Amino acid sequence: MLDRIEHDNGILELRLNRPPVNAIDPALTQRLRGAVSQAPRDGARALVISGREGIYSGGLDLPSLLALDPAGLQAFFRDFFTLLRTVAASEIPVAAAITGHSPAGGAVLSCFCDWRVMAEGPYRFGFNEVAVGIIVPVSVRRAITRMAGAEVSERLSVEARLMSPEDALRLNLVHELAPPAEVVPRALAWCRRILAQPARATAIMRRRAREDLVAGFDGQLEEAETFTDLWFGEEGQQTLRAMVEKLKSRAK
């Protein structure tokens, strides 16, 4: 579900390993949040969150989440938002090695990392939550606005458009593109570059520079209620179940 790979200079790679598409369910959310929190205590100096070649994360695991009752789903969304805040507030640098497709939850997770390297190729990145009957959370829209500006954030959130790696780079949603086999090495190279700087000054500067990103979650954990209402509404259930059937047909 989550592989730990130790690299030089105290860099820890957390590789999502939940076949077939690294879909995000309650267990993966809790495992990743715990690993990000624990890493500095275990001596890690930087983190890389990666996937396998061709897929970073396919987003939320809709089939497993559809099996939850309202209380279970609300708990999941609160855990997911807490994971995002944990990444945003990490006391050590975090790079996203976006190794392939990264729609919805996968793109969202990368938004709260310090640096994003995406694979070149026929991959898609974006925020298509509206297309499956839910919304882009306020905290995530703030993060998109921080990267790409208010107008782009609005368009991406409302239009639910998935984009190419080149478009993601042009809009400043990722920082660099690399051949698939070079995505993790490039993320590691960024970590090494940051770690080569004076440690204390870098830590203070990161914390101050990311204060707004972390503050974007203030009062937002309760937005899980909005997600639950949309999810269990008639329109939400019809849209979600239709999407699951579409995914099943593609897998055949």
Side-chain angles (χ1 to χ4, degrees), residues 15-29:
R15 181 174 296 171
L16 306 179
N17 184 13
R18 187 170 182 264
V21 296
N22 292 334
I24 300 169
D25 72 344
L28 179 57
T29 298

Side-chain angles (χ1 to χ4, degrees), residues 20 32 36 55 61 136 144 156 176 204 233 236 244-245:
L32 183 56
V36 172
I55 187 76
D61 185 350
V136 179
I144 300 170
L156 294 179
E176 59 176 313
I204 293 172
V244 169
E245 290 303 314

Side-chain angles (χ1 to χ4, degrees), residues 179-196:
E182 290 297 314
V183 172
V184 171
R186 294 276 187 90
L188 293 170
W190 178 83
C191 290
R192 294 185 189 105
R193 190 161 67 247
I194 295 300
L195 294 175

Side-chain angles (χ1 to χ4, degrees), residues 39-100:
R41 302 173 205 156
D42 291 341
R45 300 175 63 216
L47 288 173
V48 172
I49 301 176
S50 67
R52 64 171 173 78
E53 189 169 320
I55 187 76
Y56 183 61
S57 171
L60 301 185
D61 185 350
L62 299 183
S64 72
L65 297 181
L66 279 168
L68 298 177
D69 63 14
L73 186 72
Q74 194 169 123
F76 165 75
F77 279 126
R78 283 180 177 152
D79 280 350
F80 183 61
F81 296 155
T82 302
L83 163 64
L84 301 180
R85 188 188 187 284
T86 300
V87 173
S90 172
E91 62 187 80
I92 59 176
V94 185
I98 306 170
T99 46

Side-chain angles (χ1 to χ4, degrees), residues 163-198:
M163 68 197 82
S164 68
E166 290 75 18
D167 282 342
L169 179 66
R170 178 176 58 82
L171 294 175
N172 201 41
L173 298 169
V174 301
H175 296 101
E176 59 176 313
L177 304 182
E182 290 297 314
V183 172
V184 171
R186 294 276 187 90
L188 293 170
W190 178 83
C191 290
R192 294 185 189 105
R193 190 161 67 247
I194 295 300
L195 294 175
Q197 300 175 162

